[in-house]
């Protein structure tokens, strides 16, 4: 699709997707949750803005859709101690995939039972910490990991609560790099080859491991339910096979990947209540035919909770027109870029943007680009913006609440932006922006004589 076709579809005006529900346009410009964008930008740009009520409303929608199951908020999408606490207060649990995410959840007051630990490669130290915290479940990704966990659990005299991650062969969603259910990738154990079943049998037979369930994840940015139903049906078939051997599987987790709207061209995702109703109906039918009870359902929404609740505000630094084979494209340079949103460069992800101020100028085809020394530093590849856009304007990008700050970097030595939580006319830092002291304070002091300080310390009698 040529850029002129994409740019011919301007960003929809708020309120409404892809913008937070509280975002409105007034005669003085955009407002988020009752706060003017100009006031929020005064904290410094670029800045992530999170509509706290939007985040909570989306969490509540999933909780209401699955009142008798477990909902694990996928913390990799966006996590602070405050967000962790809010999720628990709304009746959700948390899924973490690293020690950093785990410790952030703990800082928010989350207890071990409300945590699930993911990851394709967990260290001995992380597994030991998880057992010490009496974590609710550990998702196993390989036979070797199961053996290591069993060894640690025996040493501690406990039984480790385990899920087995199953690669069902069902793939849904977007870019190849975010596909997680095909065979040739790093996550899970194959259903087709029998590896998943073999590990489930091994866990069930272990004296230090406890089989709590089976886990599946089929991809990301999924708009419909067909993929979840197909994967869930294959998981149920494995549940039936294990039941015939006397092995009980009390819970199945169908993972996350529920999509959101990023641009006017994206389909409207199925609502949480409809997602769960369709999945439950199909899987119940499968279980009835097999003569078994449907195991407890659990899911892991992340992006669908945090993504639409966040936007990013930039200041325009430069504007220039570039002649291409398709015509003239206007390049709009902003004061951030791939260091605060790597997804366009990593996944060719599309976003949309709009100016803070109102303008009657004719819309022109624009590409919003960042400040980094990379030609691939693109924030929004194609968007129609007013032709009078100029340096100093404020530009906002929609649906950056997920995988914006959590994937941010210091590339080109830029400081990572902070996250302002906005609610009922007030703003406060949920994640403070980096300062120059934060950035430069990470470096070691420079010695006059190079070499000596880099060597490992020698053992002495005192040591």
């Amino acid at each position: 699709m040529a850029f002129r076709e994409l740019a011919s579809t301007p960003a929809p005006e708020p309120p409404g997707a892809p913008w937070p529900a509280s975002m409105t346009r007034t005669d003085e410009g955009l407002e988020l949750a009752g706060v003017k964008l100009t006031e929020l930008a005064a904290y410094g740009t670029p800045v992530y803005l999170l509509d706290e009520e939007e985040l909570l409303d989306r969490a509540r929608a999933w909780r209401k859709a699955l009142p008798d199951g477990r909902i694990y908020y996928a913390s990799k999408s966006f996590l602070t101690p405050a967000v962790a606490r809010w999720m628990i207060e709304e009746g959700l649990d948390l899924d973490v995939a690293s020690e950093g995410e785990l410790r952030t959840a703990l800082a928010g007051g989350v207890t071990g039972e409300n945590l699930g630990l993911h990851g394709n490669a967990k260290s001995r130290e992380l597994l030991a910490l998880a057992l010490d915290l009496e974590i609710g479940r550990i998702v196993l990704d390989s036979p070797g990991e199961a053996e290591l966990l069993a060894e640690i659990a025996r040493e501690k005299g406990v039984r480790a609560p385990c899920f087995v991650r199953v690669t069902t062969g069902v793939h849904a969603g977007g870019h190849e790099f975010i596909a997680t259910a095909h065979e040739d990738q790093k996550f899970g154990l194959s259903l087709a080859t029998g590896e998943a079943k073999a590990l489930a049998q091994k866990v069930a037979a272990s004296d230090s491991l406890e089989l709590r369930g089976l886990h599946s994840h089929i991809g990301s940015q999924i708009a419909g339910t067909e993929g979840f139903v197909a994967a869930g049906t294959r998981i149920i078939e494995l549940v039936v096979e294990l039941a015939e051997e006397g092995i009980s599987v009390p819970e199945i987790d169908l993972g996350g990947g529920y999509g959101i709207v990023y641009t006017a061209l994206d389909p409207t995702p199925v609502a949480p209540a409809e997602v769960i109703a369709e999945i439950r109906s199909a899987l119940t039918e499968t279980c009835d035919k097999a003569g078994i009870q449907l195991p407890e359902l659990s899911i892991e929404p992340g992006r669908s909770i945090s993504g639409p609740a966040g936007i990013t505000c930039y200041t325009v630094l430069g504007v220039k027109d570039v002649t291409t084979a398709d015509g003239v494209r206007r390049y709009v340079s902003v004061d951030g870029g791939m260091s605060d949103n790597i997804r366009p460069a990593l996944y060719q992800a599309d976003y949309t943007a709009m100016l803070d101020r109102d303008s009657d100028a004719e819309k022109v085809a624009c590409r919003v680009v960042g400040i980094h020394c990379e030609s691939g530093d693109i924030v929004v590849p194609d968007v129609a913006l007013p032709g009078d856009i100029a340096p100093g304007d404020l530009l906002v990008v929609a649906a950056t609440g997920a995988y914006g700050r959590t994937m941010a970097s210091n590339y080109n030595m830029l400081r990572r932006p902070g996250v302002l939580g906005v609610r009922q006319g007030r703003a406060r830092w949920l994640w403070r922006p980096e300062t120059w002291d934060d950035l430069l304070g990470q470096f070691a002091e420079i010695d006059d004589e190079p070499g000596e300080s880099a060597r490992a310390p020698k053992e002495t009698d005192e040591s």
Side-chain angles (χ1 to χ4, degrees), residues 40 43 47 89 114-115 159 162 173 188-189 230 240 253 357 376 382 384 434:
L40 297 169
Y43 285 87
V47 60
E89 290 173 349
N114 296 118
L115 291 166
R159 294 191 74 195
C162 300
L189 294 130
V240 172
D253 189 312
R357 64 176 174 84
D382 296 286
E434 286 184 331

Side-chain angles (χ1 to χ4, degrees), residues 382-432:
D382 296 286
V383 62
L385 294 171
D388 62 352
I389 187 169
D393 278 332
L394 295 179
L395 188 77
V396 285
V397 176
T400 60
Y403 306 111
R405 180 59 181 87
T406 57
M407 297 179 78
S409 75
N410 293 120
Y411 183 47
N412 281 157
M413 291 301 176
L414 265 67
R415 296 168 295 174
R416 287 175 290 187
V419 183
L420 278 174
V422 190
R423 190 191 308 199
Q424 297 178 353
R426 296 184 178 182
R428 38 91 178 267
W429 288 118
L430 297 176
W431 198 331
R432 295 189 181 279

